[in-house]
Amino acid sequence: NILIADDEEGFRELLSDVLGRDPTIQLSIASTAMEAWWMLGDLEHRFDLGIFDIKMPVVNGFSLLKRIRVCPRYRNLPVIMCSGVSDRETIVQSGQLAANYYLVKPFKIETLLAKVQE
């Protein structure tokens, strides 16, 4: 079960289309970090992976990741951060917050699929 959080509708649709081809993958899609946080709090769902954008309005992906890393239920949730931001400082910050991988948009679909399988 993968939780995707990105404010760009086109990117959400792309991920949904690509990952939705695998019948073993269940997707939950959020358009904001707060919506994703609410989904994580729903005890009826359990997530195996998060794919989060960094630049989202109000609460960004880094803030969402910080909340996840202190939450006992999800502190070990694998997280892939996706962003059009490619500066070294942002990538380092992602690692410091214990993101498992950082993908710079645009990226190759094959790279995403390999990281999801990992």
Side-chain angles (χ1 to χ4, degrees):
N1 194 2
I2 300 174
L3 175 59
I4 297 169
D6 196 299
D7 62 320
E8 294 178 36
E9 183 178 359
F11 189 72
R12 291 191 311 267
E13 289 175 358
L14 172 70
L15 289 182
S16 182
D17 180 53
V18 170
L19 297 174
R21 294 177 193 162
D22 185 336
T24 65
I25 294 177
Q26 181 180 348
L27 297 174
S28 296
I29 313 276
S31 60
T32 67
M34 285 309 302
E35 184 180 359
W37 182 245
W38 292 323
M39 289 177 170
L40 287 162
D42 182 352
L43 297 178
E44 293 183 21
H45 292 93
R46 185 77 177 171
F47 295 99
D48 304 302
L49 174 67
I51 302 175
F52 307 140
D53 184 24
I54 293 173
K55 290 193 171 196
M56 290 185 277
V58 184
V59 177
N60 67 31
F62 282 154
S63 295
L64 175 60
L65 183 56
K66 286 177 190 177
R67 288 179 178 200
I68 288 169
R69 291 301 180 232
V70 297
C71 174
R73 183 173 186 207
Y74 285 114
R75 78 173 45 128
N76 295 317
L77 177 72
V79 172
I80 298 171
M81 299 302 288
C82 296
S83 180
V85 179
S86 61
D87 65 86
R88 180 170 163 64
E89 181 180 316
T90 303
I91 295 170
V92 168
Q93 183 179 6
S94 179
Q96 290 170 339
L97 294 173
N100 297 81
Y101 198 75
Y102 190 96
L103 284 174
V104 177
K105 296 176 188 176
F107 51 80
K108 293 183 179 181
I109 296 300
E110 297 80 19
T111 304
L112 171 67
L113 293 173
K115 293 303 167 187
V116 167
Q117 289 303 315
E118 271 182 34

